[in-house]
Amino acid sequence: MTISIEEIRKDFPILDSGIIYMDSAATSLTPEPVLNAVQEYYRNYNANVGRGVHRLTQIASQKYEDAHRKVAKFIGAKPQEIIFTKNTTEGINIVASGIGLKKGDKVVFSLWEHHSNLLPWIRAKNKFGVELEVVKPIEGKDKTRCELEVSDFEEVIDERTKIVAITHVSNALGVMLPVREISRLCRENNTLLLVDAAQSVPHMPVDVNDLGCDFLAFSGHKMLGPTGTGGLAVKEELMEEIEPLTVGGGAVEDASFVDYSLTGTYERFECGTPNIAGALGLGAAVEYLEKIGMEKVKAREEKLGKQLIEGLQEMDQIEIYGYGSEAFELGRRIGTVSFTVQGMNSNDVAIRLDREAGIIVRSGHHCCIPLMKYLGLDAEGTVRASVYLYNTEAEVERFLEVVEKIGKG
Ligand SMILES: Cc1ncc(COP(=O)(O)O)c(C=O)c1O
């Protein structure tokens, strides 16, 4: 079934205000079916889940389980392999603090990481004495492209590497790592692989088995779901190996005054009352994306992304960071573009885009201060425009017009 862009846009009431929303990499807009799922819970079966036997808890528990199943299927995981979290950050923290890191272990990540896939590992270094190794582009290459290839990882992943924790798509640059190939290196070295999929799960078909990762973390609010929702996929055989971040009600098989035993399922990670309405909203978001089809979402974004980058490439006063539009053909880019305007601070550009044309973009360091330092942009940061399934060619055209005008002073 083909759903037209007009039909899609009708589902996003916030667009009626006339804004041009190009900040979906930070958080996406929320369609009516997701809003309805959240409201329906509070209006019709507002009850706790997994507790008691009354009629309302039975409905709520069943819907919560259904949401688990839908989200697991969306990323090719088994229902018992998905933990609901409050966001990507929480998912990564669960792994970093729970996999039993110890002195002598090595953790590998890349220059592209978001702080959420950096700080948990720095804390592990300080706490457990693990060694950290950062994969950076080869010296002498064009710094603005920030190129990372599988060969750069080959040199650092070895038998001491306990885990490789990498982003699938850089939120600051919109460019992709060759995760499948890196996964092969991990297998050869008996190393775990965590993928920060905050910027991939919303934008393309993602399958945990196809990627070959042990852990995959993502956020609901970047994929049309409510804030405060997310998922961590964990390979089934590792589920019981990981120490949960928190323990308490809902996660327990048995307890005494001196001991407890946790359940063997994802419930061991979801103690306390979860974000039930949010989880149901996330389930509705996944259904919404599936109805359109992730291949179609990806293709549409690629079209808009190309228009965006190629338009910016034509402007003398603009510098783009990361790979150019040719990377779409290689499957190494999404419709998120970072750039600077000569002689201007990125926040000033973002303010002008908003005030003069109602165009909403992100500016600053994008929670990637080490990457910005590498690019020599720690003071001014970049402007980041990101498109999603509700954006149009006309919006991108308007964006390019306004950027050109701003660039001319
Ligand atoms: C690549 C990446 N990782 C992690 C995060 C953190 O996501 P959250 O704030 O939802 O935990 C983000 C958010 O922008 C991101 O883009």
Side-chain angles (χ1 to χ4, degrees), residues 74-75 168 180 200-207 210-211 293-298:
F74 188 66
I75 52 157
H168 196 177
R180 256 189 235 105
S200 59
V201 167
H203 303 288
M204 64 191 73
V206 170
D207 182 298
D210 179 48
L211 279 185
M294 289 310 288
E295 280 296 352
K296 286 195 180 143
V297 169
K298 180 170 171 253

Coordinates of all heavy atoms in Angstrom, one line a residue, residues 74-75 168 180 200-207 210-211 293-298:
F74 N 10.0 -5.6 15.1 CA 10.4 -4.5 14.2 C 12.0 -4.5 14.0 O 12.4 -4.1 12.9 CB 10.0 -3.2 14.9 CG 10.2 -1.9 14.1 CD1 9.5 -1.7 13.0 CD2 11.2 -1.0 14.5 CE1 9.7 -0.6 12.2 CE2 11.3 0.2 13.7 CZ 10.6 0.4 12.6
I75 N 12.7 -5.0 15.0 CA 14.2 -5.0 14.8 C 14.7 -6.5 14.7 O 15.9 -6.7 14.8 CB 14.9 -4.3 15.9 CG1 14.4 -4.8 17.3 CG2 14.7 -2.8 15.8 CD1 15.4 -4.6 18.4
H168 N 25.7 3.3 14.9 CA 25.4 2.8 13.6 C 25.4 4.0 12.6 O 26.0 3.9 11.6 CB 24.0 2.1 13.6 CG 23.6 1.3 12.5 ND1 22.5 0.6 12.3 CD2 24.3 1.0 11.3 CE1 22.5 -0.1 11.2 NE2 23.6 0.2 10.6
R180 N 28.1 -4.3 9.9 CA 28.2 -5.8 9.6 C 29.6 -6.3 9.5 O 29.9 -7.3 10.0 CB 27.5 -6.0 8.2 CG 26.1 -6.6 8.4 CD 25.6 -7.1 7.1 NE 24.3 -6.5 6.9 CZ 24.0 -5.5 6.1 NH1 24.9 -5.0 5.3 NH2 22.8 -5.0 6.0
S200 N 19.5 4.9 13.5 CA 19.3 4.0 12.4 C 17.9 3.4 12.5 O 17.2 3.4 11.5 CB 20.4 3.0 12.3 OG 20.4 2.2 13.5
V201 N 17.5 2.9 13.7 CA 16.2 2.2 13.8 C 15.1 3.1 13.3 O 14.2 2.6 12.6 CB 16.0 1.7 15.2 CG1 14.6 1.3 15.4 CG2 16.9 0.6 15.5
P202 N 15.1 4.4 13.5 CA 14.0 5.2 13.0 C 14.0 5.4 11.5 O 12.9 5.7 10.9 CB 14.2 6.6 13.6 CG 15.2 6.4 14.7 CD 16.0 5.2 14.3
H203 N 15.1 5.2 10.8 CA 15.2 5.6 9.4 C 15.4 4.5 8.4 O 15.4 4.8 7.2 CB 16.4 6.6 9.3 CG 16.3 7.8 10.2 ND1 15.4 8.8 10.0 CD2 16.9 8.1 11.4 CE1 15.4 9.6 11.0 NE2 16.3 9.3 11.9
M204 N 15.6 3.3 8.8 CA 15.9 2.2 7.8 C 15.5 0.9 8.4 O 15.4 0.8 9.6 CB 17.4 2.2 7.4 CG 18.3 1.9 8.6 SD 20.0 2.2 8.3 CE 20.1 4.0 8.3
P205 N 15.4 -0.2 7.5 CA 15.1 -1.5 8.1 C 16.4 -1.9 8.9 O 17.5 -1.8 8.4 CB 14.9 -2.4 6.9 CG 14.7 -1.5 5.7 CD 15.4 -0.2 6.1
V206 N 16.2 -2.3 10.2 CA 17.3 -2.8 11.0 C 16.9 -4.1 11.5 O 15.8 -4.3 12.1 CB 17.6 -1.8 12.2 CG1 18.6 -2.4 13.2 CG2 18.1 -0.5 11.6
D207 N 17.9 -5.1 11.4 CA 17.6 -6.4 11.9 C 18.8 -6.9 12.7 O 20.0 -6.9 12.2 CB 17.4 -7.4 10.7 CG 17.1 -8.8 11.1 OD1 18.0 -9.4 11.8 OD2 16.0 -9.3 10.8
D210 N 20.9 -9.7 11.2 CA 21.6 -9.3 10.0 C 22.8 -8.5 10.4 O 23.9 -8.7 9.8 CB 20.6 -8.5 9.2 CG 21.3 -8.1 7.9 OD1 21.9 -8.9 7.3 OD2 21.1 -6.9 7.5
L211 N 22.7 -7.6 11.4 CA 23.8 -6.8 11.8 C 24.9 -7.6 12.5 O 26.0 -7.3 12.5 CB 23.4 -5.6 12.7 CG 22.7 -4.4 12.1 CD1 22.4 -3.4 13.2 CD2 23.6 -3.8 11.1
G293 N 6.2 1.2 5.7 CA 7.3 0.3 5.2 C 8.6 1.0 5.4 O 8.8 2.1 4.8
M294 N 9.5 0.4 6.0 CA 10.8 1.0 6.3 C 11.7 1.2 5.1 O 12.5 2.2 5.0 CB 11.6 0.2 7.4 CG 11.0 0.3 8.8 SD 10.7 2.1 9.3 CE 12.3 2.7 9.6
E295 N 11.5 0.4 4.1 CA 12.2 0.6 2.8 C 11.8 1.9 2.2 O 12.6 2.7 1.7 CB 12.0 -0.6 1.8 CG 12.8 -1.8 2.1 CD 14.4 -1.6 2.0 OE1 14.8 -0.5 1.5 OE2 15.1 -2.5 2.4
K296 N 10.5 2.2 2.3 CA 9.9 3.4 1.7 C 10.4 4.6 2.5 O 10.7 5.7 2.0 CB 8.4 3.4 1.7 CG 7.9 2.4 0.6 CD 6.5 2.6 0.3 CE 6.1 1.7 -0.9 NZ 4.7 1.1 -0.7
V297 N 10.4 4.5 3.8 CA 10.9 5.6 4.7 C 12.3 5.9 4.3 O 12.7 7.1 4.1 CB 10.8 5.2 6.2 CG1 11.5 6.2 7.1 CG2 9.4 5.0 6.6
K298 N 13.1 4.9 4.1 CA 14.5 5.1 3.8 C 14.7 5.8 2.4 O 15.4 6.7 2.3 CB 15.2 3.7 3.8 CG 16.7 3.7 3.5 CD 17.3 2.3 3.7 CE 18.7 2.3 3.2 NZ 18.8 1.4 2.0

